[in-house]
Amino acid sequence: MGVLNTTPDSFFDGGKFNSVKSALQQALLMCQQGADIIDVGGESTRPGAKEVSVSDEIKRVVEVIAAIRQETEVCISIDTSKPEVMLAAVNAGASLVNDVNGLRAYGALEVCADLNVPVCVMHMQGEPRTMQANPVYNDVVDDIKLFFEQRIKSCCDAGIKRENIILDPGFGFGKTLEHNLQLLKRLDEFQIFNLPLLVGLSRKSMLGKILNDDVPENRLFASLAAAVLARTRGANLFRVHDVKATLDALKVCDAINGVQ
Ligand code: 9MG
């Protein structure tokens, strides 16, 4: 899954793709490099990012989604927590909803059930603006398992098909470095749900903390290491900024895992 932020303030690609032309070019490049999904977002979820109105978010993403849809059949996912944006994006050609808020906004479950598209339900403690203030868990893996259990039930009760659910533990969303490390080390425990597992580790600050490097541009090799480790622990989908590099790393990982 290639990341395509149409935002001015995302932590890595903010401001790079805020014209339809540049966003389309980047989408096509990521497709050429092997992306199966392009994840289009119109609101940054990094800690401290500004809130965006429904109409501004729709304006940012709909034109881009329509332009990608005209040029390629790649699966487009919409990265949003707002039901109105989910609806507008799917009408414009998106076919997957990626919600960092786990479909907890009023109306989100119902809209996704009606749209009948796959949904990525991500775990986040708190909300983007304040989530890193003081995240606390009893046991981060067990607590997220419980969250998934409850969200899967809510999804199914609302009419979302179980086979349309993708789970994501939400690296960096209301988690300390120690929580993120525990999550990556024990990622295989989420296989109990028998659902696809998506991870977003690409260039995140947890890697910067390990490297003692504040600059996201310097985190490619760390991102690849994290992706490979996640793969060995059962991750199926990878939300990344660097499609070709990640795919190459995962191909090596899969080849070695496939040897008898
Ligand atoms: C939008 N976004 C930013 N980080 C993410 C992550 O880790 N997972 C998912 N599903 N979406 C994310």
Side-chain angles (χ1 to χ4, degrees):
M1 172 188 272
V3 177
L4 184 60
N5 285 314
T6 64
T7 50
D9 56 346
S10 287
F11 80 98
F12 183 59
D13 56 356
K16 285 192 196 159
F17 310 118
N18 52 9
S19 76
V20 176
K21 191 175 165 201
S22 61
L24 176 61
Q25 263 174 4
Q26 176 65 4
L28 295 178
L29 177 67
M30 291 193 289
C31 291
Q32 227 178 49
Q33 293 179 341
D36 292 321
I37 304 169
I38 303 296
D39 190 40
V40 178
E43 180 177 27
S44 172
T45 48
R46 78 180 161 86
K50 270 198 192 144
E51 271 183 58
V52 177
S53 70
V54 169
S55 61
D56 282 352
E57 197 177 327
I58 289 178
K59 249 185 254 157
R60 281 183 188 171
V61 297
V62 158
E63 262 191 283
V64 170
I65 291 169
I68 301 171
R69 184 72 309 133
Q70 267 211 328
E71 291 294 322
T72 136
E73 288 178 5
V74 72
C75 171
I76 303 168
S77 79
I78 175 65
D79 154 20
T80 190
S81 298
K82 299 187 182 90
E84 299 89 340
V85 181
M86 295 169 186
L87 182 60
V90 171
N91 285 336
S95 49
L96 194 161
V97 169
N98 173 30
D99 185 359
V100 299
N101 194 37
L103 304 181
R104 287 177 294 170
Y106 181 78
L109 285 169
E110 293 71 20
V111 164
C112 289
D114 276 356
L115 291 170
N116 193 24
V117 291
V119 293
C120 177
V121 174
M122 199 196 80
H123 174 270
M124 168 170 59
Q125 187 180 89
E127 48 117 1
R129 270 139 286 275
T130 53
M131 64 191 177
Q132 291 308 105
N134 183 29
V136 175
Y137 297 87
N138 285 326
D139 175 297
V140 67
V141 176
D142 289 347
D143 290 4
I144 295 176
K145 278 187 204 158
L146 185 62
F147 171 84
F148 283 155
E149 230 170 81
Q150 291 166 346
R151 292 317 293 156
I152 293 167
K153 180 168 187 328
S154 298
C155 285
C156 293
D157 288 350
I160 294 172
K161 296 184 185 111
R162 196 177 194 282
E163 63 265 29
N164 269 347
I165 301 175
I166 298 164
L167 301 176
D168 182 340
F171 285 98
F173 285 82
K175 283 130 191 145
T176 63
L177 175 59
E178 179 57 32
H179 294 140
N180 289 314
L181 294 177
Q182 280 284 335
L183 272 181
L184 187 47
K185 187 165 185 185
R186 295 169 57 194
L187 196 68
D188 56 340
E189 293 187 33
F190 296 114
Q191 290 186 35
I192 53 166
F193 295 103
N194 218 3
L195 288 171
L197 205 54
L198 188 152
V199 292
L201 290 150
S202 181
R203 297 189 181 262
K204 283 198 173 166
S205 66
M206 63 177 274
L207 304 174
K209 286 188 185 128
I210 298 170
L211 302 178
N212 196 19
D213 190 331
D214 282 345
V215 183
E217 281 72 13
N218 296 339
R219 299 177 192 156
L220 172 60
F221 307 133
S223 302
L224 300 180
V228 166
L229 289 168
R231 180 63 164 178
T232 62
R233 289 156 169 76
N236 309 100
L237 296 112
F238 299 80
R239 184 179 182 276
V240 300
H241 301 90
D242 308 280
V243 171
K244 161 110 177 85
T246 311
L247 204 50
D248 282 359
L250 294 177
K251 278 179 186 167
V252 173
C253 185
D254 282 0
I256 292 164
N257 282 339
V259 170
Q260 295 307 313

